[in-house]
mmCIF file of all heavy atoms in Angstrom:
data_model
loop_
_atom_site.group_PDB
_atom_site.id
_atom_site.type_symbol
_atom_site.label_atom_id
_atom_site.label_comp_id
_atom_site.label_asym_id
_atom_site.label_seq_id
_atom_site.Cartn_x
_atom_site.Cartn_y
_atom_site.Cartn_z
ATOM 1 N N LEU A 9 -26.862 21.749 10.008
ATOM 2 C CA LEU A 9 -27.721 22.680 9.268
ATOM 3 C C LEU A 9 -27.262 22.768 7.808
ATOM 4 O O LEU A 9 -28.081 22.761 6.880
ATOM 5 C CB LEU A 9 -27.629 24.056 9.936
ATOM 6 C CG LEU A 9 -28.439 25.194 9.354
ATOM 7 C CD1 LEU A 9 -29.907 24.836 9.316
ATOM 8 C CD2 LEU A 9 -28.222 26.458 10.194
ATOM 9 N N GLU A 273 -39.347 27.224 6.366
ATOM 10 C CA GLU A 273 -38.099 26.445 6.433
ATOM 11 C C GLU A 273 -37.029 27.199 7.231
ATOM 12 O O GLU A 273 -36.266 26.594 7.997
ATOM 13 C CB GLU A 273 -37.582 26.148 5.018
ATOM 14 C CG GLU A 273 -38.473 25.179 4.258
ATOM 15 C CD GLU A 273 -38.023 24.935 2.820
ATOM 16 O OE1 GLU A 273 -37.131 25.666 2.332
ATOM 17 O OE2 GLU A 273 -38.580 24.036 2.184
ATOM 18 N N HIS A 274 -36.981 28.509 7.039
ATOM 19 C CA HIS A 274 -36.017 29.329 7.786
ATOM 20 C C HIS A 274 -36.293 29.233 9.294
ATOM 21 O O HIS A 274 -35.379 29.058 10.104
ATOM 22 C CB HIS A 274 -36.123 30.777 7.298
ATOM 23 C CG HIS A 274 -35.292 31.756 8.071
ATOM 24 N ND1 HIS A 274 -33.917 31.735 8.041
ATOM 25 C CD2 HIS A 274 -35.637 32.765 8.926
ATOM 26 C CE1 HIS A 274 -33.453 32.701 8.833
ATOM 27 N NE2 HIS A 274 -34.475 33.335 9.376
ATOM 28 N N LEU A 275 -37.579 29.316 9.657
ATOM 29 C CA LEU A 275 -37.934 29.237 11.077
ATOM 30 C C LEU A 275 -37.622 27.854 11.637
ATOM 31 O O LEU A 275 -37.141 27.717 12.761
ATOM 32 C CB LEU A 275 -39.417 29.579 11.287
ATOM 33 C CG LEU A 275 -39.802 31.015 10.946
ATOM 34 C CD1 LEU A 275 -41.304 31.212 11.106
ATOM 35 C CD2 LEU A 275 -39.043 32.008 11.824
ATOM 36 N N ALA A 276 -37.889 26.822 10.832
ATOM 37 C CA ALA A 276 -37.623 25.456 11.287
ATOM 38 C C ALA A 276 -36.121 25.229 11.467
ATOM 39 O O ALA A 276 -35.692 24.521 12.387
ATOM 40 C CB ALA A 276 -38.198 24.451 10.287
ATOM 41 N N ALA A 277 -35.319 25.856 10.606
ATOM 42 C CA ALA A 277 -33.856 25.709 10.723
ATOM 43 C C ALA A 277 -33.351 26.405 11.981
ATOM 44 O O ALA A 277 -32.315 26.024 12.532
ATOM 45 C CB ALA A 277 -33.169 26.291 9.487
ATOM 46 N N GLY A 278 -34.096 27.424 12.422
ATOM 47 C CA GLY A 278 -33.685 28.196 13.594
ATOM 48 C C GLY A 278 -32.926 29.434 13.170
ATOM 49 O O GLY A 278 -31.734 29.355 12.857
ATOM 50 N N PRO A 279 -33.603 30.599 13.152
ATOM 51 C CA PRO A 279 -32.934 31.832 12.723
ATOM 52 C C PRO A 279 -31.627 32.102 13.475
ATOM 53 O O PRO A 279 -30.658 32.580 12.863
ATOM 54 C CB PRO A 279 -33.984 32.913 13.000
ATOM 55 C CG PRO A 279 -35.283 32.188 12.841
ATOM 56 C CD PRO A 279 -35.050 30.803 13.381
ATOM 57 N N ASP A 280 -31.563 31.770 14.745
ATOM 58 C CA ASP A 280 -30.317 32.009 15.500
ATOM 59 C C ASP A 280 -29.181 31.144 14.974
ATOM 60 O O ASP A 280 -28.039 31.587 14.889
ATOM 61 C CB ASP A 280 -30.513 31.700 16.990
ATOM 62 C CG ASP A 280 -31.333 32.770 17.674
ATOM 63 O OD1 ASP A 280 -31.485 33.859 17.086
ATOM 64 O OD2 ASP A 280 -31.824 32.511 18.785
ATOM 65 N N ARG A 281 -29.514 29.892 14.641
ATOM 66 C CA ARG A 281 -28.484 28.992 14.111
ATOM 67 C C ARG A 281 -28.030 29.466 12.729
ATOM 68 O O ARG A 281 -26.838 29.444 12.412
ATOM 69 C CB ARG A 281 -29.022 27.554 14.045
ATOM 70 C CG ARG A 281 -29.034 26.872 15.411
ATOM 71 C CD ARG A 281 -29.929 25.634 15.512
ATOM 72 N NE ARG A 281 -30.114 24.861 14.307
ATOM 73 C CZ ARG A 281 -29.456 23.729 14.004
ATOM 74 N NH1 ARG A 281 -28.538 23.258 14.824
ATOM 75 N NH2 ARG A 281 -29.725 23.084 12.902
ATOM 76 N N VAL A 282 -29.000 29.877 11.912
ATOM 77 C CA VAL A 282 -28.660 30.388 10.581
ATOM 78 C C VAL A 282 -27.723 31.592 10.712
ATOM 79 O O VAL A 282 -26.686 31.670 10.045
ATOM 80 C CB VAL A 282 -29.943 30.779 9.808
ATOM 81 C CG1 VAL A 282 -29.606 31.532 8.532
ATOM 82 C CG2 VAL A 282 -30.780 29.541 9.503
ATOM 83 N N ARG A 283 -28.083 32.519 11.596
ATOM 84 C CA ARG A 283 -27.258 33.735 11.757
ATOM 85 C C ARG A 283 -25.861 33.387 12.236
ATOM 86 O O ARG A 283 -24.871 33.971 11.768
ATOM 87 C CB ARG A 283 -27.907 34.682 12.773
ATOM 88 C CG ARG A 283 -29.169 35.320 12.259
ATOM 89 C CD ARG A 283 -29.913 36.057 13.366
ATOM 90 N NE ARG A 283 -31.305 36.193 13.001
ATOM 91 C CZ ARG A 283 -32.313 36.310 13.859
ATOM 92 N NH1 ARG A 283 -32.096 36.307 15.174
ATOM 93 N NH2 ARG A 283 -33.549 36.431 13.427
#
Side-chain angles (χ1 to χ4, degrees):
L9 180 57
E273 291 177 349
H274 174 67
L275 295 176
D280 286 344
R281 282 162 30 99
V282 170
R283 290 170 202 154

